């Protein structure tokens, strides 16, 4: 048993040595791979014979005989090993180059990063200073132009008024002189110089046949002056109240008592409503009340609310509303109309005569309660007043600014009726509602709110 194991071991060692010698001698670097016609994945009869014919067991230390397939597989293994070695070598080169490049980049950033950052900050700072300077110059120029325009307007008004007075006095003197000369009366010698001068003008015009022409010229000049005064007055008046409104409301401060009570008429139907008004807000915060209609059963029956630059119209509480975004600008007049019908709950908001928002399903089928109270610039809220409760409200909800042309109808107005009221230079204030009519319905300003004319 021991001798057999020893013999097997010796045979194995001899086989390994023989294979190493054969591979080194025959398949080294001088081996050239040739894919001739004998190696096209086919086994010839000779190879089959060589494979089928049994060979005797090789004696120890005798190299075995390899077939062509064995040689081919050996060459393929050597080629694969060389390819792996080349790939490994390329990976090592790339890693070294990348590490070198990374080191150079870090060195560059460390060397020049600080100077680049400081240069960018300096450039941004200079640009900001230049922008602020230019903006300040533009603002100063705008202020100067505005002041010059106001000064010119005042001077023109004074000149027009003086010219009107002078022309009126001259016209009166000429008429008086004409009447006296037609009656045949002579002017006494003791008249003052102005009277003699006027009489001389009348005599000359009579003698030259130019009296009618002179009077016509003076009349046309007076008419021109009056037209200019009218245009200027309308221009100045339009800056205070729009759409030909004669009266308005000023809400000077935001307080817990500033509000206006309106006495509405009882509507003939309670399934539709249109509310229109002009407003010029001084400041708009998170929530500002413009119009509020409250009843004993519902403090939030109807409301027009400003929130930032948006307008909200609510019917039967805040759950039923429609919103128009970007409709309000502080310090500018804007015309707002809110329309609602219980049929399909169609509600819409109109800004400056154009529809800005519309929504169906707003309090659909709801019936407005009658005999309610209307407030401008405030709301009763949940603490709806009773006989013993004073008029105190939430100051944070109070409106500040100007308001005019408040009207209310118990029907839906069409687009033409709304656009007629929204003209800034028109006469929209002459269109009045049948529930609240501006200039007709009783209004009672309270808490420092003033009615201007």
């Amino acid at each position: 048993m021991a001798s057999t194991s020893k013999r097997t071991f010796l045979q194995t060692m001899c086989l390994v040595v023989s294979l190493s010698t054969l591979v080194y001698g025959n398949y080294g670097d001088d081996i050239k791979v040739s894919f001739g016609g004998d190696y096209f994945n086919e086994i010839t009869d000779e190879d089959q014979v060589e494979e089928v014919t049994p060979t005797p067991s090789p004696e120890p230390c005798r190299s075995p005989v390899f077939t062509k397939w064995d040689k081919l597989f050996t060459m393929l293994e050597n080629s694969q090993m060389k390819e792996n070695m080349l790939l490994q070598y390329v990976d090592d080169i790339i890693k070294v180059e990348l590490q070198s490049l990374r080191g150079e980049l870090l060195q560059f950033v460390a060397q020049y990063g600080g100077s680049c950052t400081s240069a960018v900050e300096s450039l941004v700072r200079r640009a900001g200073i230049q922008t602020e300077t230019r903006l300040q110059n533009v603002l100063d120029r705008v202020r100067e132009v505005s002041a010059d325009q106001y000064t010119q307007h005042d001077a023109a008004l004074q000149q027009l008024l003086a010219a009107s007075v002078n022309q009126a006095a001259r016209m009166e003197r000429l008429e008086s002189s004409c009447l006296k000369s037609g009656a045949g009366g002579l002017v006494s010698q003791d008249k003052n110089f102005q009277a003699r001068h006027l009489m001389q003008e009348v005599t000359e015009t009579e003698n030259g046949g130019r009296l009618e022409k002179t009077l016509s010229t003076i009349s046309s000049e007076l008419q021109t002056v009056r037209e200019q005064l009218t245009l200027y007055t309308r221009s100045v008046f339009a800056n205070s109240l729009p759409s030909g409104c004669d009266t308005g409301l000023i809400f000077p401060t935001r307080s817990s008592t500033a509000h206006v009570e309106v006495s509405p008429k009882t509507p003939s139907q309670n399934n539709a409503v249109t509310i229109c008004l002009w407003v010029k807000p001084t400041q708009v915060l998170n929530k500002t009340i413009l119009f509020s209609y409250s009843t004993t059963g519902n403090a939030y029956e109807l409301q027009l609310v400003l929130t930032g630059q948006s307008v909200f119209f609510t019917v039967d509480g805040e759950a039923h509303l429609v919103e128009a975004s970007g409709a309000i600008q502080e310090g500018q007049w804007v015309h707002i109309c809110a329309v609602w019908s219980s049929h399909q709950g169609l509600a819409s908001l109109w800004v400056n005569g154009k529809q800005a928002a519309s929504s169906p399903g707003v309090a659909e089928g709801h019936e407005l309660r009658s005999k309610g109270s209307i407030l401008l610039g405030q709301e009763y809220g949940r603490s709806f007043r009773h006989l013993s409760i004073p008029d105190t409200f939430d100051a944070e909800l109070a409106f500040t600014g100007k308001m005019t042309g408040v009207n209310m109808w118990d029907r839906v107005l069409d687009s033409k009726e709304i656009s007629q009221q929204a003209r800034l230079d028109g006469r929209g204030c002459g269109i009045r509602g049948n529930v609240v009519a501006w200039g007709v319905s009783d209004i009672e300003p309270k808490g420092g709110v003033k009615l201007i004319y």
Side-chain angles (χ1 to χ4, degrees):
M1 182 90 179
S3 62
T4 304
S5 300
K6 183 176 182 180
R7 183 180 178 181
T8 303
F9 176 112
L10 290 175
Q11 291 178 352
T12 304
M13 291 299 295
C14 289
L15 179 61
V16 171
V17 172
S18 300
L19 289 173
S20 300
T21 304
L22 181 60
V23 170
Y24 180 80
N26 298 329
Y27 304 99
D29 295 333
D30 296 334
I31 294 175
K32 297 182 179 179
V33 179
S34 176
F35 298 92
D38 296 336
Y39 303 101
F40 277 93
N41 200 19
E42 294 181 1
I43 301 177
T44 62
D45 296 337
E46 183 182 354
D47 294 333
Q48 291 179 357
V49 171
E50 289 178 359
E51 291 180 0
V52 173
T53 304
T55 57
S57 299
E59 295 181 1
C61 298
R62 180 177 296 178
S63 85
V65 178
F66 290 95
T67 65
K68 292 181 179 181
W69 285 109
D70 294 333
K71 296 177 182 180
L72 179 60
F73 292 152
T74 303
M75 286 190 298
L76 289 176
E77 289 178 356
N78 291 338
S79 176
Q80 185 68 30
M81 291 175 62
K82 290 182 179 180
E83 182 181 357
N84 291 336
M85 292 174 64
L86 288 174
L87 291 175
Q88 183 65 30
Y89 180 70
V90 171
D91 290 341
D92 294 339
I93 291 176
I94 292 176
K95 290 180 180 177
V96 172
E97 292 297 332
L98 288 177
Q99 291 178 357
S100 176
L101 180 60
R102 182 175 180 274
E104 293 178 359
L105 287 175
L106 292 176
Q107 183 179 2
F108 178 80
V109 172
Q111 184 175 359
Y112 298 102
S115 60
C116 291
T117 303
S118 60
V120 171
E121 291 178 353
S122 177
L123 180 61
V124 172
R125 191 180 302 109
R126 288 198 300 270
I129 293 174
Q130 292 178 359
T131 303
E132 291 179 358
T133 303
R134 292 179 181 177
L135 181 59
Q136 186 63 37
N137 293 335
V138 171
L139 291 176
D140 295 340
R141 180 59 180 166
V142 169
R143 293 191 185 98
E144 292 176 0
V145 172
S146 179
D148 293 341
Q149 288 180 350
Y150 281 122
T151 303
Q152 293 175 1
H153 287 171
D154 292 339
L157 179 61
Q158 295 297 330
Q159 292 177 1
L160 290 173
L161 290 175
S164 177
V165 172
N166 293 334
Q167 294 288 352
R170 186 179 178 185
M171 186 69 179
E172 184 178 358
R173 290 194 299 268
L174 289 175
E175 290 177 352
S176 177
S177 299
C178 290
L179 290 175
K180 290 180 180 180
S181 61
L186 299 176
V187 180
S188 62
Q189 298 295 329
D190 58 350
K191 292 291 183 178
N192 56 25
F193 175 77
Q194 183 177 5
R196 288 197 305 270
H197 179 68
L198 291 174
M199 190 60 191
Q200 184 179 358
E201 289 182 355
V202 173
T203 304
E204 291 177 355
T205 54
E206 287 180 349
N207 295 333
R210 296 191 301 268
L211 177 60
E212 184 177 357
K213 183 177 180 181
T214 303
L215 293 176
S216 177
T217 301
I218 294 174
S219 178
S220 63
E221 291 178 356
L222 284 175
Q223 185 65 26
T224 302
V225 171
R226 289 171 182 171
E227 290 176 357
Q228 292 177 352
L229 284 174
T230 302
L231 291 175
Y232 186 82
T233 303
R234 287 181 179 178
S235 175
V236 174
F237 195 70
N239 293 329
S240 58
L241 294 175
S243 196
C245 296
D246 297 330
T247 59
L249 296 168
I250 294 182
F251 296 77
T253 58
R254 180 176 288 108
S255 67
S256 59
T257 58
H259 68 283
V260 176
E261 294 182 0
V262 181
S263 300
K265 295 181 180 179
T266 302
S268 59
Q269 53 183 347
N270 300 325
N271 56 1
V273 68
T274 299
I275 303 168
C276 293
L277 50 82
W278 283 95
V279 290
K280 183 181 180 181
T282 302
Q283 185 182 22
V284 178
L285 301 178
N286 292 332
K287 185 178 181 181
T288 301
I289 306 298
L290 294 179
F291 181 97
S292 177
Y293 176 67
S294 304
T295 62
T296 55
N298 188 358
Y300 305 101
E301 194 72 42
L302 295 172
Q303 276 195 337
L304 268 176
V305 183
L306 300 183
T307 301
Q309 294 183 345
S310 300
V311 182
F312 290 84
F313 175 44
T314 66
V315 182
D316 192 27
E318 295 181 355
H320 308 284
L321 58 85
V322 59
E323 174 187 1
S325 302
I328 297 298
Q329 295 291 336
E330 294 181 352
Q332 296 184 8
W333 282 107
V334 59
H335 186 260
I336 301 173
C337 279
V339 182
W340 171 81
S341 173
S342 64
H343 178 63
Q344 297 181 351
L346 185 61
S348 59
L349 277 170
W350 297 69
V351 179
N352 292 329
K354 297 181 180 179
Q355 187 175 10
S358 178
S359 177
V362 177
E364 182 177 358
H366 178 69
E367 292 291 332
L368 296 176
R369 297 174 177 86
S370 58
K371 298 181 180 180
S373 298
I374 294 179
L375 291 183
L376 302 180
Q378 260 297 351
E379 67 172 7
Y380 284 118
R382 301 186 183 279
S383 58
F384 185 73
R385 69 172 184 176
H386 297 282
L387 296 178
S388 60
I389 299 179
D391 294 335
T392 56
F393 308 93
D394 187 357
E396 297 296 328
L397 305 178
F399 170 75
T400 57
K402 295 180 180 180
M403 184 181 302
T404 187
V406 183
N407 291 283
M408 180 176 176
W409 293 262
D410 60 354
R411 62 182 181 87
V412 174
L413 268 63
D414 57 27
S415 58
K416 184 177 180 180
E417 291 176 305
I418 294 176
S419 61
Q420 288 178 351
Q421 301 178 60
R423 292 185 56 186
L424 189 65
D425 58 347
R427 308 297 298 177
C429 270
I431 303 175
R432 296 180 173 87
N434 61 341
V435 179
V436 175
W438 184 253
V440 177
S441 298
D442 293 335
I443 59 174
E444 186 176 357
K446 294 184 178 182
V449 181
K450 298 179 180 179
L451 181 65
I452 58 175
Y453 298 91

